[in-house]
Amino acid sequence: MLMTTESTKQEQLHPCNAYTDLKRRFRDVGRLEAIGEILGRDFLTAMPDGAYRSRLNQIAYLYKRVHQDIVNKDIRRLLDKALTHEDNHSTDWDDWDRANLRAMASVYDEHSLIDDDLMEYNAKVANEGRRCHRNALENHDWDSAREHLRNVVDVERRIAEKKLKARGGEDLYDALLQDYCPGYSHSTIDKWFNQLEGSIKGLIPEVMAFQAQKPEPIQLADSYPVDSQMWLNEEMLALFGFDFERGGLYQTGHNPVEGGTPDDTRLVIKNVDTSNFLDSLKSAMHEAGHGLYIQGLPRKSWRYQPVAADLGSAMQESQALLVEMLIGRTEEFFEFLSPRLEGLFKAMHDPTLHPENLCAIKTHVRPTVDRKRADEVTYFLHILLRYRLERDLIEGRIQVEQLPEMWTESSYELLGVSPQDHGEGILQDVHWFVAKFGYFPSYTIGHMLATQFYQTMRQDLPDFYTLIRTGNFQPITAWLNKYVHSRGRLLGPHELMRDITGKEASPEFLMAHLRERYLREEIKI
Ligand SMILES: [Zn+2]
């Protein structure tokens, strides 16, 4: 009798024996990676403090083992055989198998550039960084942060050098960027970002003048209990179709972080601030966008296979920002939310919770020093600041010691405001501490992709705004699942964009969206 798993594409025998063998090996690698991911989730949500050191070593060792299993010479031999078979017997290969083989080859190439010890050390430094950041932020301790960051920059530069040498590229930073934004080169991003910089700097005064005609929103000034906020956050996740049987939402001392596996998607947000429920709701919706993507990956047929992974962080951020910024800042969203908040916080007819006021708070444009609380229009300038600094750091044009000063200067130049202390400046974000150099552009590319998907989605779902007004978010999730989540890596990011929207990725969609939302202009693309 066949076991039930025999019916999955992962377990099916393929006419090419080498490919069947590769699927088995990558399944086992995938299991080890899933264990590593769950140890990491547990590290953030449940681990007792005393396990800190040993856990770091366990995670680092596991990633070294994964690395060794991938760069094994048998894998190279099997890949060559399978690629030859695909050339000679193309009818034996369907689109998913082809995409899986391509994804296997790219995982192999990626790993074969780095040696075991560097991989292990990198995993350790990255996991240490989360705690180092938390402590530095709590104590405004730049001195200890500086030591850690020096270490990270050194490791990242060593990795970038190896990658650049083996696969070419424009420069060291470009080599790191490809891990997060595959397919988007440094020069393309520069071109997009220069275009956005000019357009957004021009847009800000227009938006400020437009919003000056309206009354200032009333700011939240009550106490909103933690339990009520978490109840609301979980309800929102459930309305979007997040499966709590396979995941959860946790508040911790750490900055929000996506991750997990399709079977265990534990989302992390920062401890709830009782004076402002909109911040934790925003974080929960952002992480929900990531979580829905992870849970929606093609796990049933392809669990653990490289084709079942997501399309990298730019696509991940597109899903998160679509939920958090595009849907979560519509007037209809606040029409849905407002009466429920009045009940939840026992504040009937509170003008602060009026839908128009909530929408005005969340769409109010004002340059500030804080990326995570930035409005949608100035958000890009926060990313530009970080993008330029991290590029110069990796390229060796500036040193870690100069960061606080350079941060303050850039902040003033781009946003017209300067941080008052390290917590408001250089210590704001966790990314560099956990070795994610090259990640920041994902937010802006993700925002661009999100606005482009959003435009097509609104055409495909004619009652789109009624869905939002009535809290019926599941058709939206189903649309995302059908076109993005469930396809894993079947298509590359550029092919996926063309397939869904018929167009190439472009910053014009983001600009058109901002002009529509903040100046009430009609979209003309
Ligand atoms: Zn995110």
Side-chain angles (χ1 to χ4, degrees):
M1 200 175 83
L2 288 175
M3 285 166 63
T4 48
T5 51
E6 290 289 319
S7 62
T8 69
K9 290 280 285 185
Q10 174 167 264
E11 304 295 334
Q12 254 172 28
L13 297 179
H14 190 270
C16 171
N17 291 336
Y19 177 58
T20 303
D21 196 358
L22 280 170
K23 285 200 289 182
R24 188 180 52 75
R25 288 168 187 254
F26 273 92
R27 177 199 64 197
D28 294 344
V29 163
R31 282 176 174 153
L32 285 179
E33 282 179 328
I35 294 168
E37 191 62 38
I38 296 314
L39 282 179
R41 293 285 102 188
D42 184 76
F43 185 99
L44 295 170
T45 57
M47 181 189 78
D49 258 16
Y52 177 65
R53 280 281 144 210
S54 58
R55 181 65 57 88
L56 280 180
N57 289 325
Q58 289 156 5
I59 293 176
Y61 172 69
L62 204 58
Y63 281 104
K64 180 179 177 177
R65 273 293 311 276
V66 164
H67 178 72
Q68 286 168 339
D69 284 1
I70 293 172
V71 295
N72 182 317
K73 65 179 183 312
D74 284 351
I75 298 264
R76 180 70 267 168
R77 183 178 54 78
L78 291 167
L79 279 171
D80 290 339
K81 274 190 170 179
L83 287 163
T84 308
H85 188 280
E86 187 200 3
D87 274 348
N88 297 336
H89 305 85
S90 60
T91 51
D92 287 342
W93 293 76
D94 68 16
D95 290 344
W96 280 94
D97 285 318
R98 284 176 203 283
N100 196 28
L101 183 60
R102 269 199 311 273
M104 286 170 171
S106 102
V107 171
Y108 175 83
D109 288 343
E110 203 53 48
H111 277 263
S112 62
L113 307 177
I114 316 280
D115 55 63
D116 304 1
D117 292 335
L118 193 53
M119 197 59 120
E120 184 177 13
Y121 187 59
N122 185 44
K124 196 167 164 188
V125 166
N127 277 282
E128 245 168 6
R130 212 163 274 288
R131 181 165 294 207
C132 170
H133 176 253
R134 193 183 70 181
N135 294 343
L137 194 58
E138 268 170 22
N139 308 318
H140 289 233
D141 178 5
W142 165 244
D143 291 345
S144 69
R146 187 180 54 215
E147 291 311 306
H148 178 75
L149 283 178
R150 265 202 212 118
N151 224 346
V152 178
V153 170
D154 179 53
V155 178
E156 291 302 291
R157 282 175 59 89
R158 276 157 61 201
I159 291 177
E161 274 160 17
K162 285 183 187 288
K163 289 187 172 174
L164 188 67
K165 203 168 150 200
R167 68 179 178 199
E170 294 176 24
D171 51 39
L172 286 181
Y173 181 70
D174 198 46
L176 297 179
L177 190 66
Q178 291 311 311
D179 292 347
Y180 301 106
C181 309
Y184 303 102
S185 72
H186 186 164
S187 51
T188 305
I189 293 177
D190 270 342
K191 191 178 81 189
W192 286 345
F193 281 18
N194 287 339
Q195 196 180 330
L196 283 171
E197 185 182 8
S199 305
I200 286 182
K201 279 181 171 170
L203 180 66
I204 293 171
E206 276 191 77
V207 173
M208 304 280 272
F210 188 80
Q211 81 183 6
Q213 299 161 14
K214 294 183 279 182
E216 284 272 314
I218 318 164
Q219 296 301 323
L220 302 179
D222 209 338
S223 175
Y224 305 96
V226 173
D227 290 353
S228 308
Q229 290 197 41
M230 284 306 282
W231 182 88
L232 173 69
N233 295 338
E234 285 178 4
E235 279 301 294
M236 286 309 308
L237 260 67
L239 286 171
F240 270 92
F242 183 81
D243 184 353
F244 280 91
E245 287 285 309
R246 291 188 280 134
L249 182 68
Y250 294 76
Q251 49 158 347
T252 74
H254 300 281
N255 269 19
V257 52
E258 80 279 6
T261 72
D263 308 298
D264 185 344
T265 317
R266 272 181 264 175
L267 307 176
V268 169
I269 61 171
K270 206 171 168 84
N271 285 330
V272 165
D273 170 2
T274 50
S275 70
N276 189 337
F277 68 89
L278 285 171
D279 280 354
S280 80
L281 179 63
K282 171 206 126 84
S283 277
M285 288 186 59
H286 183 96
E287 299 312 323
H290 285 302
L292 292 167
Y293 189 4
I294 295 169
Q295 288 193 333
L297 290 166
R299 74 193 155 95
K300 286 189 179 155
S301 264
W302 292 100
R303 188 189 306 269
Y304 303 130
Q305 294 297 305
V307 77
D310 64 40
L311 278 170
S313 55
M315 193 60 72
Q316 272 284 0
E317 289 306 332
S318 79
Q319 301 306 293
L321 293 171
L322 210 150
V323 173
E324 176 219 327
M325 278 198 187
L326 297 186
I327 295 168
R329 295 187 193 182
T330 54
E331 289 161 20
E332 292 76 9
F333 178 73
F334 294 106
E335 282 175 41
F336 165 72
L337 199 63
S338 173
R340 286 156 184 86
L341 296 175
E342 287 186 355
L344 179 66
F345 297 126
K346 302 184 181 56
M348 302 307 278
H349 310 299
D350 178 350
T352 325
L353 301 182
H354 194 277
E356 274 178 30
N357 189 60
L358 293 171
C359 189
I361 295 176
K362 289 302 288 184
T363 55
H364 194 74
V365 175
R366 188 169 64 94
T368 64
V369 291
D370 188 350
R371 175 185 71 84
K372 287 192 285 297
R373 296 178 81 172
D375 62 78
E376 194 177 5
V377 177
T378 60
Y379 190 73
F380 164 71
L381 299 174
H382 290 266
I383 301 307
L384 187 62
L385 181 157
R386 290 151 177 79
Y387 168 63
R388 286 180 175 161
L389 288 182
E390 68 177 15
R391 194 181 60 186
D392 286 350
L393 259 182
I394 295 296
E395 291 299 316
R397 288 192 287 266
I398 61 171
Q399 304 303 315
V400 170
E401 291 69 24
Q402 296 169 273
L403 275 178
E405 199 188 324
M406 308 266 328
W407 185 292
T408 304
E409 275 174 24
S410 309
S411 177
Y412 191 74
E413 187 214 317
L414 289 170
L415 291 148
V417 285
S418 308
Q420 295 305 305
D421 54 42
H422 292 316
E424 281 188 0
I426 181 68
L427 297 178
Q428 238 185 79
D429 292 305
V430 72
H431 304 64
W432 293 343
F433 288 82
V434 296
K436 285 187 167 180
F437 278 89
Y439 191 99
F440 278 117
S442 309
Y443 291 108
T444 295
I445 299 172
H447 202 184
M448 283 170 42
L449 304 181
T451 51
Q452 204 161 334
F453 290 142
Y454 189 63
Q455 203 175 322
T456 304
M457 179 195 277
R458 290 192 295 178
Q459 288 157 6
D460 285 0
L461 302 171
D463 50 354
F464 183 71
Y465 289 106
T466 312
L467 296 176
I468 298 178
R469 191 181 292 115
T470 54
N472 186 7
F473 301 111
Q474 299 219 12
I476 294 172
T477 305
W479 189 95
L480 290 170
N481 184 270
K482 177 178 170 191
Y483 291 110
V484 183
H485 308 168
S486 69
R487 294 162 110 180
R489 292 194 190 179
L490 179 63
L491 304 176
H494 297 291
E495 287 172 284
L496 187 79
M497 182 52 82
R498 278 195 295 273
D499 184 72
I500 298 174
T501 70
K503 299 199 172 107
E504 299 291 337
S506 150
E508 281 174 39
F509 294 90
L510 173 56
M511 287 314 300
H513 160 73
L514 295 177
R515 298 192 75 86
E516 182 193 40
R517 178 171 282 176
Y518 295 90
L519 295 173
R520 305 282 169 190
E521 285 180 9
E522 219 177 290
I523 290 198
K524 294 193 196 80
I525 305 174

